[in-house]
Amino acid sequence: MPHDTAHKFILHELVHAATTTALDIGTKVLSRHLPNSETYLSPHIKELNALQKYVADFVRRQERMGVLDSNAKTLLHRTNAFRNTDELIAWGLTDKRFQTYLDSIPYVPPPGQGPKTTVWKGLIRIIGKILGLDPKRNPTAFTELLRISDPLL
């Protein structure tokens, strides 16, 4: 495995390790529909699920229409980036090609969740909310960290 690929693989798996528990808890709470069982994660998991479905539907619709670019075709057919929210986050935070593709997809968040943006910016906003960062402050240290570290990922 080439040096660069090994680092990306390790980082990808570390993102899974860092997010799996929160995603699992939020998903289990939502799937059981228990009264008074929503956690602070629940609304963000709902939003993340909606974003993942939007992205997966968008890329498959583009493929059916024959307008999917070669980068997106590679991501669709040679990765699992569109499979579920776990992979959306892991690929979204570790793969520059995927980030660029997400940033090209227009996205309108659910009502009350913010203005029209791109999927990449929507994903970063949702991750910020899950981490407890105030999405109304702009820019934040988190968004600046992502901007600065983006070339390193």
Side-chain angles (χ1 to χ4, degrees):
M1 182 179 296
H3 182 68
D4 183 44
T5 304
H7 282 116
K8 287 180 182 180
F9 172 78
I10 291 167
L11 182 58
H12 178 98
E13 295 308 319
L14 287 172
V15 168
H16 280 306
T19 59
T20 295
T21 300
L23 291 171
D24 285 350
I25 289 170
T27 300
K28 285 177 182 171
V29 166
L30 288 175
S31 67
R32 292 190 181 140
H33 306 287
L34 302 172
N36 302 320
S37 65
E38 291 221 0
T39 68
Y40 80 96
L41 293 172
S42 299
H44 309 308
I45 299 297
K46 286 179 189 175
E47 195 175 354
L48 188 57
N49 288 338
L51 179 67
Q52 190 279 327
K53 182 180 179 336
Y54 180 89
V55 171
D57 291 348
F58 182 89
V59 73
R60 287 183 180 90
R61 188 171 51 251
Q62 280 200 321
E63 183 180 42
R64 281 192 306 275
M65 293 174 12
V67 295
L68 201 60
D69 67 39
S70 61
N71 177 48
K73 281 181 188 176
T74 299
L75 289 165
L76 178 62
H77 296 292
R78 295 189 179 172
T79 73
N80 60 355
F82 302 101
R83 180 181 298 160
N84 54 41
T85 56
D86 296 337
E87 295 302 337
L88 178 70
I89 290 174
W91 281 93
L93 294 179
T94 61
D95 188 272
K96 181 63 176 167
R97 294 170 308 147
F98 193 57
Q99 293 167 358
T100 300
Y101 182 62
L102 292 179
D103 205 29
S104 74
I105 301 173
Y107 180 62
V108 179
Q113 297 295 325
K116 183 177 180 180
T117 184
T118 66
V119 170
W120 169 245
K121 291 175 182 140
L123 177 63
I124 295 307
R125 184 180 48 75
I126 293 168
I127 292 169
K129 285 176 163 183
I130 290 171
L131 295 174
L133 302 172
D134 182 0
K136 293 180 178 90
R137 293 184 322 182
N138 193 17
T140 66
F142 179 66
T143 57
E144 185 65 3
L145 174 63
L146 288 170
R147 185 190 69 72
I148 293 167
S149 64
D150 184 45
L152 304 174
L153 299 176

